[in-house]
Amino acid sequence: MSVVFNKSVPGRRGVRLPTCDVPFVDAIPEEYLREQPAELCELSELDVVRHFTGLSRLNFGVDTGFYPLGSCTMKYNPRVSERIAGLEGFSQLHPFLPQLRSGGMLTQGALQLLYELERVLCEITGMGAFTLQPLAGAHGELTGMMLIAAYHRDKGNKKHTVLIPDEAHGTNPSSAAITGYRTVSIPTDGTTGRLNLKALEDLVDDETAAIMLTNPNTLGIFNSEIEQVVEIAHRHDAQVYYDGANLNAILGKFRPGDAGIDVMHINVHKTFATPHGGGGPGAGPVGVREHLVPFLPISRIEKRRDNSFVLDYDQPRSIGYVAPFYGNFSILVRAYAYIMLLGGDGLVEVSENAVLNANYVMHALKERFELPYDRSCMHECVFSASRQAEHGVHALDIAKALIDRGYHPPTVYFPLIIKEAMMIEPTETESKETLDAFIAAMLEIADEAERNPDAFAELPKRAPVCRPDEVKAARDMDVSFEAC
Amino acid sequence: MSFVANTPLQREEMLKACGVSSVDDLFADIPASLRPQSFRLPPGRSEHEVLEYFKQLAERNYAQLTVFLGGGFYDHFIPSAVDALASRGEFFTAYTPYQPELSQGTLQAIYEYQTHIGRLTGMAAANASMYDGGTAIYEACQMALHATRRTRIVVDGGVNPVYRKMLYSYTANLAIDFTEVPVTHGASDRKHIEQVLGDDVAGVILQNPNFFGVIDNHEDIVARCHEQGSLVIQSVYPVAMAMLKPPGEIGVDIAVGEGQSLGNPLAFGGPYLGFMATNKKLVRKMPGRIVGRTLDREGREAFVLTLQAREQHIRREKATSNICTNQALCALRAHMYLSLVGKEGLREVALLCHAKAEYAKERFKAIPGVSVMETSSTFNEFTVHLPADAGVIAGRLVERGIAPGLPLGRYYPGMEHYLLVAVTEKRTKAEIGHFAEVLEEVLSHYWDFEEEHSERIDV
Amino acid sequence: MSQDDRKYAKSHEWAKPDGDVVVVGISDHAQQELGDITFVELPTVGQVMEAGAECGVVESVKAASDLFAPIGGEVVAVNDALEDTPELINQDAWEAGWILKLKPSDLGQMDALMSVADYDATL
């Protein structure tokens, strides 16, 4: 589809703006004004509506079809959450309002909502307190590592390293590194697919600031030795960080706080069904055990004896500001709405069905696709396309073949420790009929890989484009449209 | 209501296929000792009940105030088409465009957004957006530190104080020195900045218009910085850029800013988006998602995520940033907004904001005891000096349905009598007049409540 | 097969004496592993570094690999052609795809590097 700037017609106007009801003044001296006008596009409202409607039709979302992108929890996003987030009493609130005297009383509903969400997240995870401010999962990780750094600084601990399993998401080492820590990788046990406790014992020492864990891990395997991991860490006064990316598997079945986890984050776009938005915005609430509460970001929401809510900015040991205000509020509204719709019983149902769906797909495919860890999985299963690769059909080719069959492919080439990895996460909102059709498509692709491997290079054929040239993109760096 | 589709019968069939008798068997890896000690949550509710609950909460927020609050976050009009188009499920239920064949809509929109931001700021290339204006400044600092291999950052006192606080929090554990240069008479202090420049300074952070709404032309500062090998980071208000000299015209190295004003509601603090743009030389050091235009196998135009090798999922602990996503949907809204108002429209929005703010200034100047700080030109926000504590007076105005602006004492000690007032195109002459009348009336009684001055602002 | 007129570092850089300077590049094996190279971040002429110091980055679509100085010295030249045609490294890693020239602080450091036979044995 032609880029929007090609559709622009000089002089054409879209929306009409309010008329100027005050004397027109232009009190700004020439030296402050721009020399060239900003060449924004010039379109009618209908031009714009058609352009973006056209673009939307080139996209695939959960609303379009099955989207088993591992590690991303692409579940259905309830429409009522959108409606709630759009209520004027939420969407029109200026964030500086509570900082005005008497302004706090005008935002009691919003503050109550945030306060209640914090409490609910504590109950779901077993953590002592939550901050809702982090603006995304990765931002939550960064906040968590800042809290750990503040804790060690406060105690006068000299800590320099963070231990991270080799199967972890790339964000973990990155978050630790930008907080100023050196990262050390812990190998995974090749037979169990879990963290190697012996290796951990060897690597941990008094310089270890933290261990970062994902449980269930990125292989979809729950580590039942998590208490031992915590115990080993605490023996060295290292903190244990729990990456909540895979929380969808364990709601009502396991709470990180009960295992002694010190800090964790939640990706609300995964577990609590806030829209993925094409890559954001998300929200990454961070939970801590009691000893880290004094370090939580400014401000904290407190409930007064008269049941009113107040923002407390007087937090002398806090790590300070991580967000301009109270987090991605309207995303948090959606998360709370979702939790309230489901309730405790519904959340347990989520995990049970997410895990059942993943195991069902795993069992149906394991005859034809290599399953590196053949054991029951949690909410996702990780296959390897190694058998197909022998015929020259790689994980990426299988992904492209799925596109032609109307599916979004699984996550491919992650986790890095599995060659030709294909990570499938069906989520709980998919029906058996959908899973059966997907399984049939995968089996058909396995047949095709043996029968006609050469055909894969030209796939997908039914998508608007086919395998864009990424090398050309990186070399040419055409990242801004120039009219020819 | 858990949105689970499968019936109990289907679940039985599936369990059988998995070779287990109950769903509990699938959770056997979680030992009994690790099962939740508590999971006391209310039972699920119907859509209707939940909607009613949230309506009640929303009604406890009084959103009907006439807003003259700004401080970097503005109450601009959002065309209806933005909401209608951004709420298409194909956009908001998709994820990061890892599979370009299924994501050309998101990818092309980001490419167009990047182009719009580039044109607005006058810079060569923009990224797909950061979390907000504050994190964009932080990421720009990291870029400057890496690019120059220096260790100090100079921060102008006119940079949004909230962003400065964020910057210092993020870097508390890192070996980075900050030098803050207070503003004088509302504008950047040239002499002072020049004094603190040196061969250890990686970057200088400026803001235009600055936090007090004051317009500046930082061209001379940019020149001094470049002579010393320092980069310049300028945070700008995107609406003002339709009129004012953009970063690209004065040689700024990294342009950033809060993009909320472009089609995103205030929503009590988020989600917003931080935009970031840079010149050709630094583009490969820019963090976050970037979309490039290329060709596909058949020679058709196609869009892909590019320069990903620098990102966390590949480069792990050596990544330029830990950011995994952008604020895609907010950036999409910003792009839709710019497409709808267009070239002339955004200029008109800017002119309206400016003209209305100038009118408000005139009205306030006529109130006894009130003075408007007028050492330099302002865009749509300006500082007024009140004869009493601005926090107390603001409280009185809030009770009368007006959010009158931001009392500055909280962020600038010594400025307890100053109020920062913002005016957007949505404010009418009548609303501005009403504000001035109520302010005058409140001030005429100010002796009555002067004893309250010592009270702590308790929200 | 790597070239026997130069020495190698574990991190896949080669170093080849040429008059009073030492030319540095990456091995053909390294370029194959990286795939299509899209960008090379070069050091600046005049920069002085120790052996093992980071002195650039070689980027492909799927990886970004740091370049380490095989020996210490001052950078006296960089291969500017790589700015527009990074694929030179893919085409000819041994000659046209050289990356920088160092004036060694101690030519004796060359002895610590691997011979071609030792390097090829690590692959």
Side-chain angles (χ1 to χ4, degrees), chain A residues 122-435:
Chain A
C122 286
E123 184 62 18
I124 291 172
T125 60
M127 302 304 287
F130 261 87
T131 173
L132 303 175
Q133 290 182 35
L135 303 171
H139 199 229
E141 276 182 39
L142 174 59
T143 303
M145 294 315 290
M146 286 161 64
L147 290 167
I148 289 170
Y151 164 79
H152 289 310
R153 210 168 37 235
D154 191 64
K155 279 188 86 176
N157 290 346
K158 298 269 174 281
K159 302 282 196 176
H160 305 293
T161 56
V162 172
L163 306 185
I164 303 168
D166 55 4
E167 41 72 22
H169 292 109
T171 11
N172 289 176
S174 171
S175 301
I178 62 173
T179 319
Y181 290 113
R182 197 159 53 77
T183 62
V184 178
S185 177
I186 320 170
T188 298
D189 186 318
T191 48
T192 62
R194 299 190 312 214
L195 180 88
N196 188 327
L197 271 192
K198 175 77 178 57
L200 172 64
E201 290 260 26
D202 291 345
L203 289 168
V204 70
D205 60 27
D206 291 339
E207 289 206 347
T208 308
I211 299 172
M212 295 181 90
L213 278 185
T214 309
N215 195 21
N217 66 13
T218 59
L219 296 166
I221 297 171
F222 186 84
N223 187 347
S224 47
E225 294 173 331
I226 187 165
E227 275 181 312
Q228 284 95 304
V229 174
V230 172
E231 196 269 321
I232 292 167
H234 286 171
R235 217 189 293 150
H236 296 269
D237 203 9
Q239 300 287 286
V240 184
Y241 187 92
Y242 180 97
D243 181 328
N246 295 340
L247 192 64
N248 210 48
I250 52 161
L251 296 165
K253 302 291 180 186
F254 166 71
R255 303 193 311 166
D258 294 338
I261 295 295
D262 300 293
V263 195
M264 72 172 292
H265 81 266
I266 294 172
N267 303 88
V268 299
H269 58 278
K270 296 181 183 177
T271 313
F272 301 127
T274 69
H276 283 66
V286 166
V288 295
R289 278 205 303 144
E290 296 298 339
H291 68 290
L292 294 175
V293 172
F295 305 107
L296 286 173
I298 292 170
S299 55
R300 305 277 305 134
I301 303 163
E302 308 289 347
K303 188 175 184 175
R304 286 194 286 214
R305 257 174 304 181
D306 64 357
N307 286 331
S308 65
F309 298 88
V310 60
L311 288 163
D312 184 359
Y313 286 84
D314 187 18
Q315 311 277 341
R317 293 162 79 198
S318 163
I319 57 168
Y321 281 58
V322 300
F325 298 103
Y326 328 106
N328 275 343
F329 177 74
S330 78
I331 302 296
L332 297 165
V333 171
R334 290 171 171 91
Y336 189 33
Y338 175 81
I339 292 169
M340 201 169 269
L341 281 165
L342 270 70
D345 44 344
L347 292 177
V348 172
E349 243 177 71
V350 162
S351 288
E352 289 183 348
N353 285 280
V355 169
L356 176 58
N357 280 0
N359 276 282
Y360 182 72
V361 172
M362 185 184 81
H363 276 271
L365 295 180
K366 73 179 185 182
E367 290 302 315
R368 302 297 307 279
F369 292 90
E370 182 66 25
L371 184 64
Y373 296 97
D374 187 2
R375 59 202 306 294
S376 81
C377 65
M378 296 302 282
H379 64 305
E380 62 196 358
C381 52
V382 182
F383 285 97
S384 164
S386 55
R387 288 186 218 167
Q388 289 71 33
E390 284 169 21
H391 300 277
V393 176
H394 296 271
L396 188 69
D397 301 313
I398 294 174
K400 302 306 181 194
L402 278 167
I403 291 174
D404 269 353
R405 288 169 168 82
Y407 298 103
H408 194 286
T411 296
V412 288
Y413 302 109
F414 185 82
L416 304 175
I417 58 168
I418 302 289
K419 278 210 160 133
E420 298 283 341
M422 297 186 296
M423 189 187 213
I424 303 173
E425 180 181 10
T427 84
E428 75 281 2
T429 54
E430 297 299 334
S431 68
K432 181 172 178 294
E433 304 90 277
T434 301
L435 301 182

Side-chain angles (χ1 to χ4, degrees), chain C:
Chain C
M1 242 333 192
S2 302
Q3 305 279 304
D4 63 1
D5 56 353
R6 58 196 85 192
K7 302 290 271 300
Y8 296 85
K10 260 190 222 146
S11 44
H12 306 288
E13 294 85 4
W14 53 256
K16 179 184 166 189
D18 179 17
D20 56 356
V21 299
V22 171
V23 189
V24 176
I26 63 168
S27 73
D28 193 56
H29 169 78
Q31 72 77 16
Q32 274 179 33
E33 285 290 301
L34 280 165
D36 291 318
I37 290 166
T38 55
F39 176 67
V40 184
E41 188 182 316
L42 298 164
T44 33
V45 172
Q47 206 177 318
V48 179
M49 52 197 148
E50 311 237 314
E54 280 181 26
C55 62
V57 183
V58 183
E59 273 188 36
S60 69
V61 165
K62 58 180 181 179
S65 175
D66 288 317
L67 187 71
F68 299 97
I71 60 166
E74 184 190 337
V75 180
V76 292
V78 294
N79 188 354
D80 291 327
L82 295 176
E83 275 181 19
D84 290 327
T85 39
E87 58 269 35
L88 275 179
I89 296 178
N90 295 118
Q91 290 157 6
D92 182 5
W94 302 121
E95 298 300 336
W98 66 277
I99 297 173
L100 64 134
K101 292 182 181 173
L102 281 170
K103 191 170 175 199
S105 46
D106 171 14
L107 202 58
Q109 286 177 347
M110 288 289 285
D111 297 340
L113 298 174
M114 286 185 278
S115 69
V116 63
D118 290 347
Y119 175 69
D120 280 347
T122 66
L123 303 181

Side-chain angles (χ1 to χ4, degrees), chain A residues 453-474:
Chain A
D454 295 339
F456 282 79
E458 284 163 30
L459 305 182
K461 285 185 169 161
R462 296 188 190 139
V465 298
C466 174
R467 304 201 191 203
D469 186 343
E470 295 182 14
V471 174
K472 178 179 162 56

Side-chain angles (χ1 to χ4, degrees), chain A residues 1-5 13 15 17-18 21 25 27 29 31-32 34-36 39 41 51-52 55-56 59-60 62-63 67 72 83 89 91 93-94 98-102 104 106-107 109-110 112 116 123 136 138-139 146 153 168 170-171 174-175 177 179 224 249 252-253 255 258 275-281 313 319 321-322 324 326 328-330 341-345 349 353 357 363 375 400 429 431-433 457 460 465-469 474 477-479 481, chain B residues 1-3 6 10-11 13-14 18 27 29 35-40 42 44-45 51 53 57 60-62 69-70 73 88-95 99 101-103 105-106 108 111-112 114-116 119-120 131-132 165-166 169-170 173 217 241 243-246 249 267-268 270-272 284 292-297 304 306 312 316-317 321-322 324-329 335 340 342-343 345 348 352 354 358 377 395 398-399 405 407 410-411 429 455 459:
Chain A
M1 207 171 108
S2 179
V3 296
V4 75
F5 302 97
R13 296 292 304 268
V15 295
L17 293 156
D21 56 359
V25 285
E31 58 170 313
Y32 297 132
R34 67 185 294 157
E35 288 155 25
Q36 301 295 325
E39 291 298 331
C41 46
H51 179 73
F52 286 100
L55 286 182
S56 77
N59 252 15
F60 188 100
V62 176
D63 284 5
Y67 206 134
C72 299
R83 186 164 164 196
S91 68
L93 275 191
H94 196 291
Q99 296 185 19
L100 299 182
R101 187 181 292 226
S102 307
L106 304 175
T107 57
Q112 181 183 338
E116 289 179 3
E123 184 62 18
H139 199 229
M146 286 161 64
R153 210 168 37 235
T171 11
S174 171
S175 301
T179 319
S224 47
K253 302 291 180 186
R255 303 193 311 166
D258 294 338
H276 283 66
Y313 286 84
I319 57 168
Y321 281 58
V322 300
Y326 328 106
N328 275 343
F329 177 74
S330 78
L341 281 165
L342 270 70
D345 44 344
E349 243 177 71
N353 285 280
N357 280 0
H363 276 271
R375 59 202 306 294
K400 302 306 181 194
T429 54
S431 68
K432 181 172 178 294
E433 304 90 277
V465 298
C466 174
R467 304 201 191 203
D469 186 343
M477 284 297 298
D478 174 1
V479 298
F481 181 74
Chain B
M1 200 53 219
S2 60
F3 304 99
N6 285 331
Q10 283 180 311
R11 285 204 285 268
E13 287 172 44
M14 293 167 73
C18 294
F27 289 90
D29 277 343
R35 293 308 173 108
Q37 290 165 14
S38 150
F39 200 69
R40 282 191 297 271
R45 284 184 240 184
L51 188 57
Y53 182 77
L57 283 180
R60 296 190 56 205
N61 300 316
Y62 187 67
L69 258 178
F73 311 91
R88 289 186 68 92
E90 298 91 330
F91 283 131
F92 83 78
T93 71
Y95 199 24
Q99 296 290 342
E101 289 91 345
L102 294 180
S103 322
T106 294
Q108 183 174 333
Y111 175 85
E112 293 173 353
Q114 289 170 184
T115 305
H116 256 148
R119 292 180 179 193
L120 201 51
Y131 301 131
D132 82 310
K165 284 172 191 277
M166 287 169 70
S169 305
Y170 289 135
N173 215 36
N217 179 346
M241 287 301 107
M243 272 174 83
L244 303 184
K245 209 169 254 311
E249 281 186 14
F268 206 47
Y272 297 161
R284 286 176 190 272
R293 187 165 60 146
T294 184
L295 299 174
D296 82 342
R297 274 176 70 97
V304 287
T306 190
Q312 50 75 33
R316 301 175 78 85
E317 70 274 7
S321 160
N322 83 327
C324 299
T325 49
N326 57 322
Q327 298 288 94
L329 202 66
H335 173 39
L340 284 160
K343 178 180 170 180
E348 256 182 59
L352 281 168
H354 177 63
E358 291 299 313
S377 295
V398 165
E399 288 161 12
R410 186 189 191 97
Y411 297 104
K429 185 180 180 184
E455 253 180 51
V459 176

